[in-house]
Amino acid sequence: MKMSVIGTGYLGATHAGAMAELGHEVLGVDVDENKVALLASGQVPFFEPGLPELLSKHVTSGALRFTTSVQEATAFADLHFVCVGTPQRSGSNAADLTYVNDAFRSLLQHVRPGAVVVGKSTVPVGTAGALAVDVRAAGAQLVWNPEFLREGFAVEDTLRPDRLVMGAEDDAALTTLQQAYAPILAAGTPLVITDFATAELVKVAANSFLATKISFINAMAEICETTGADVTQLATAIGHDDRIGPKFLRAGLGFGGGCLPKDIRAFMARAEELGVDQAVSFLKNIDDINLRRRARTVDLALEMCAGSFAGRRVAVLGAAFKPDSDDIRDSPALDVADAIQRGGAAVHVYDPQAMGNAKNVHPTLAYSSSALEACDGADAVLHLTEWREFRELRPADLAAVVRQRNILDGRSILDAATWRDAGWQFRALGRP
Ligand code: UDX
């Protein structure tokens, strides 16, 4: 099938590559000329394991092309995926729908009658129903098909999703979309067909649940900190209950990134508009618990610096919001680094992939070219993003360069006994 993918960020670029992998002819569209030029040469403007290989394979074969022209896309295909971002609106909790509205406006100016438009962006409930009126007026049909990919696993999650969700009012449009996903459906992937509102809600409900699970265990970490209990053992024990499960119970610095924080805030903002804010008012607690973990990390770092950051040097290992990503949107690690720098310490940051992005957005922090260099002369070492290479750091190597053997594990991954045995003062969130 021929199809276009409008918006080529994390979601769109991965979707375009995955659709080409399924055997389709795909045209990716973006307003950013530089991004289009890079993608057209088979390169990816961000770090996502497996994606450069996927894109270059299909760019080379000719199955995947990129353009800045929406008109080229509507002349090329009658199936269009809208994958643009919906960031948090500045000064508000609500989602900024500018990119979605712009994408639909320009697409609907040129779309051919009978075409199918598929919305994949995460939008406030009610958006698809309103957009469907304009789509129908242009002679096309809308399907809402939310995406659940995780950064770091984007290719895998797109080609082998847990489920496909399609919200629609038109059977023919649904059939077209099922044809596009035929190999994924043939592999036995569950398909849930819904109305527009349910499809939109599935996405924010799933992210709210995941955020709640993380903040739940982080709330338990707060209790553990005042009682001397160990939240990692607690998580292991409750995770053995099938009904609870062990995933997303990793206590620590909490969630960040371009999805969970802004999605739960946008959900609260939309619920307020709908007059049902009480139903999701608990999400405010989820957000607050999450942000308190960052404050707690700063407090523990201060304790390690004997109560004052003035004249101290602090090493921050990690800048990305999670490992295997260079995404620093709402990064807990950089939030903590900023706060400690504001407190008066010299903060030296190292991340295997996110240095470029971090330097652009946080230019006043100091950056090192390795973990060891960041730790040089440090009074405290903070492990804030759980990259594999940080897990493999050897206490003796770090001990040779730091000023004080203080380490804080913000991600509950390091082995406390190994560090303590090597003479380090080891602290972790939610652990004695
Ligand atoms: C998330 C959802 O998982 C995905 O389905 C949705 O489409 C987009 O949002 P992503 O933001 O890529 O994906 O990251 P995810 O792996 O979910 O992690 C989110 C954050 O939670 C990270 O900062 C991570 O470090 C943190 N986290 C995750 C925890 O603190 N503890 C956990 O147990 C799990």
Side-chain angles (χ1 to χ4, degrees):
M1 295 167 78
K2 289 183 174 181
M3 55 192 64
S4 87
V5 175
I6 296 165
T8 58
Y10 288 98
L11 167 58
T14 309
H15 189 67
M19 289 294 109
E21 181 73 9
L22 295 186
H24 303 304
E25 282 181 59
V26 185
L27 184 60
V29 186
D30 204 288
V31 291
D32 183 336
E33 281 176 23
N34 293 332
K35 199 188 272 181
V36 164
L38 208 63
L39 290 164
S41 68
Q43 296 173 72
V44 180
F46 48 85
F47 179 77
E48 180 60 45
L51 189 56
E53 293 80 0
L54 187 71
L55 293 196
S56 64
K57 174 179 164 192
H58 294 295
V59 165
T60 307
S61 76
L64 178 58
R65 294 181 298 119
F66 292 93
T67 180
T68 53
S69 165
V70 173
Q71 236 166 317
E72 191 183 334
T74 50
F76 172 73
D78 290 313
L79 175 58
H80 307 283
F81 292 91
V82 177
C83 296
V84 295
T86 52
Q88 187 173 338
R89 207 184 291 167
S90 73
S92 151
N93 266 351
D96 179 351
L97 292 179
T98 309
Y99 304 117
V100 170
N101 291 332
D102 288 353
F104 272 85
R105 198 177 308 116
S106 59
L107 182 62
L108 296 183
Q109 270 168 15
H110 307 292
V111 77
R112 291 191 294 222
V116 175
V117 179
V118 183
K120 292 192 74 66
S121 307
T122 302
V123 291
V125 58
T127 307
L131 288 169
V133 175
D134 299 335
V135 175
R136 274 195 299 270
Q141 288 293 342
L142 181 68
V143 182
W144 212 262
N145 170 223
E147 180 58 56
F148 305 98
L149 65 80
R150 298 159 296 165
E151 289 177 23
F153 300 91
V155 174
E156 174 69 16
D157 285 353
T158 308
L159 286 171
R160 276 168 285 277
D162 293 333
R163 75 295 208 188
L164 289 172
V165 177
M166 299 178 188
E169 289 177 343
D170 181 80
D171 286 345
L174 267 176
T175 303
T176 302
L177 188 56
Q178 288 176 48
Q179 280 164 0
Y181 288 128
I184 293 176
L185 291 167
T189 305
L191 169 64
V192 184
I193 294 174
T194 69
D195 51 34
F196 288 136
T198 307
E200 294 167 310
L201 278 172
V202 168
K203 172 67 191 223
V204 285
N207 277 355
S208 297
F209 192 88
L210 294 172
T212 301
K213 213 170 168 193
I214 298 168
S215 276
F216 174 83
I217 201 65
N218 282 333
M220 296 305 106
E222 289 188 9
I223 307 288
C224 287
E225 279 156 14
T226 50
T227 54
D230 186 326
V231 75
T232 58
Q233 292 174 346
L234 175 76
T236 303
I238 65 170
H240 281 304
D241 185 328
D242 269 352
R243 296 166 301 175
I244 297 174
K247 291 182 185 165
F248 267 67
L249 282 183
R250 206 161 23 76
L253 190 45
F255 57 82
C259 291
L260 297 192
K262 69 113 177 150
D263 284 354
I264 64 169
R265 290 172 197 154
F267 198 9
M268 284 187 275
R270 183 65 184 137
E272 197 172 336
E273 285 168 9
L274 294 169
V276 285
D277 41 321
Q278 268 194 341
V280 290
S281 60
F282 71 95
L283 290 176
K284 175 79 175 78
N285 286 325
I286 300 307
D287 202 8
D288 288 346
I289 291 164
N290 193 52
L291 296 177
R292 279 208 299 275
R293 293 288 78 192
R294 302 181 189 187
R296 170 72 179 161
T297 302
V298 175
D299 288 347
L300 282 176
L302 188 62
E303 277 180 30
M304 289 183 148
C305 290
S308 169
F309 284 131
R312 303 289 185 177
R313 181 167 164 154
V314 175
V316 166
L317 303 183
F321 84 98
K322 66 184 231 182
D324 297 317
S325 171
D326 64 355
D327 195 346
I328 58 155
R329 287 177 292 172
D330 205 341
S331 164
L334 287 173
D335 227 9
V336 167
D338 270 346
I340 293 175
Q341 187 190 46
R342 278 197 305 275
V347 180
H348 292 251
V349 180
Y350 171 70
D351 187 283
Q353 291 292 339
M355 300 290 273
N357 287 340
K359 283 176 188 169
N360 282 338
V361 182
H362 302 260
T364 61
L365 294 168
Y367 292 92
S368 305
S369 56
S370 69
L372 224 52
E373 189 186 310
C375 295
D376 193 12
D379 296 287
V381 175
L382 313 185
H383 172 239
L384 303 186
T385 312
E386 66 276 33
W387 285 94
R388 173 177 285 275
E389 74 167 74
F390 298 153
R391 262 181 275 164
E392 289 167 356
L393 285 170
R394 292 194 316 192
D397 295 341
L398 255 59
V401 298
V402 297
R403 186 152 60 194
Q404 302 282 340
R405 292 182 196 183
N406 288 316
I407 186 160
L408 167 59
D409 184 8
R411 291 295 178 184
S412 282
I413 292 279
L414 304 178
D415 183 49
T418 305
W419 289 83
R420 286 189 179 128
D421 289 350
W424 286 73
Q425 194 208 154
F426 182 95
R427 303 289 300 268
L429 296 169
R431 303 179 70 185

